[in-house]
Amino acid sequence: MATCKNYVGVTCVNGNCPNAIRYQYPEYDLDKVLCEECWHNEGCKDCIFNYYGICEVQGMTIKVKYHGKYKIQKIKQGDWIDLRTQEDIELKKMEFKLISLGVSIELPEGYEALVVPRSSTFKNFGVIQANSIGIIDESYKGDNDIWYFPALALHHTFIPKGTRICQFRLIEHQPCFDIEEVKELKNKNRGGIGSTGTK
């Protein structure tokens, strides 16, 4: 189960955390448990902030202006939300086109959106996202700041209107940090790119 960054389970604070018990009774040599793997972790159901009605994440809202007939739908499973083409698209081999996704969105303060192709997009239509991944920050929020999918066709293709072509999710802004120049990192070299093997 993916754990919300704000998640604090009831078990985390009532003394029954598996890791707290592990430290309390070292003689039993219990394994360390990652929070996202903990059998007590039930997400929002188990979160103490949700229990007391002070969860900030659940109350988050995005404002959407539509430029077509297809609406964004909340999903019951998974973290990513699909976006659709607003018109029939025909592309020749190696033709590039900015495909309108029919939305302008005001993101919550402190968040940005990642936009990537759906896993079936290339398989079904032979197009790739030209910039690999799209990053939309919170300042791109005007009525005419329409979201687009930059498609590059690797063969002649036709994409019907209403196709779920890509998906997005929200992430928090990167935290502020300083940059320090050093002569040496004084860490052990892992062995370069691909050093963990191919299997």
Side-chain angles (χ1 to χ4, degrees):
M1 171 182 290
T3 302
C4 168
K5 68 178 183 64
N6 292 334
Y7 170 82
V8 177
V10 174
T11 307
C12 301
V13 296
N14 70 4
N16 291 322
C17 170
N19 289 324
I21 294 173
R22 173 174 175 260
Y23 288 118
Q24 188 174 358
Y25 301 101
E27 63 270 23
Y28 293 112
D29 195 28
L30 299 172
D31 291 333
K32 184 176 181 180
V33 178
L34 298 177
C35 291
E36 58 267 26
E37 297 174 348
C38 179
W39 50 91
H40 294 292
N41 184 349
E42 296 185 62
C44 294
K45 286 171 57 179
D46 174 56
C47 182
I48 200 162
F49 293 118
N50 187 44
Y51 179 82
Y52 286 110
I54 55 175
C55 175
E56 296 180 354
V57 176
Q58 280 199 337
M60 187 180 296
T61 300
I62 64 171
K63 297 179 181 178
V64 183
K65 176 181 177 180
Y66 292 102
H67 303 271
K69 63 178 286 188
Y70 298 103
K71 310 294 185 183
I72 293 175
Q73 297 176 328
K74 291 186 68 175
I75 53 178
K76 295 181 179 179
Q77 291 184 326
D79 294 330
W80 295 78
I81 299 174
D82 294 333
L83 296 167
R84 297 176 183 266
T85 59
Q86 301 298 308
E87 59 182 348
D88 292 337
I89 306 291
E90 185 173 5
L91 297 172
K92 298 177 182 178
K93 182 178 180 179
M94 299 310 296
E95 183 178 355
F96 170 80
K97 182 178 178 64
L98 288 173
I99 297 176
S100 173
L101 300 171
V103 293
S104 299
I105 298 179
E106 180 181 321
L107 299 173
E109 185 177 350
Y111 286 81
E112 57 197 16
L114 300 183
V115 182
V116 300
R118 297 185 74 239
S119 58
S120 59
T121 297
F122 180 77
K123 175 174 70 74
N124 292 340
F125 304 108
V127 298
I128 59 174
Q129 185 168 328
N131 59 344
S132 299
I133 185 171
I135 302 172
I136 301 176
D137 65 45
E138 66 188 68
S139 66
Y140 190 76
K141 59 183 179 181
D143 285 343
N144 293 316
D145 287 336
I146 300 172
W147 290 24
Y148 290 90
F149 179 81
L152 178 65
L154 299 191
H155 59 70
H156 184 271
T157 188
F158 177 79
I159 307 171
K161 178 170 57 177
T163 295
R164 293 182 296 160
I165 195 170
C166 61
Q167 54 194 339
F168 80 96
R169 70 171 299 166
L170 303 187
I171 61 169
E172 281 194 282
H173 288 176
Q174 180 169 271
C176 295
F177 58 86
D178 295 323
I179 297 175
E180 177 186 357
E181 182 179 355
V182 297
K183 297 291 185 182
E184 296 178 274
L185 296 175
K186 298 182 179 179
N187 301 317
K188 182 180 178 181
N189 292 322
R190 196 181 74 177
I193 295 174
S195 60
T196 58
T198 58
K199 296 183 179 179

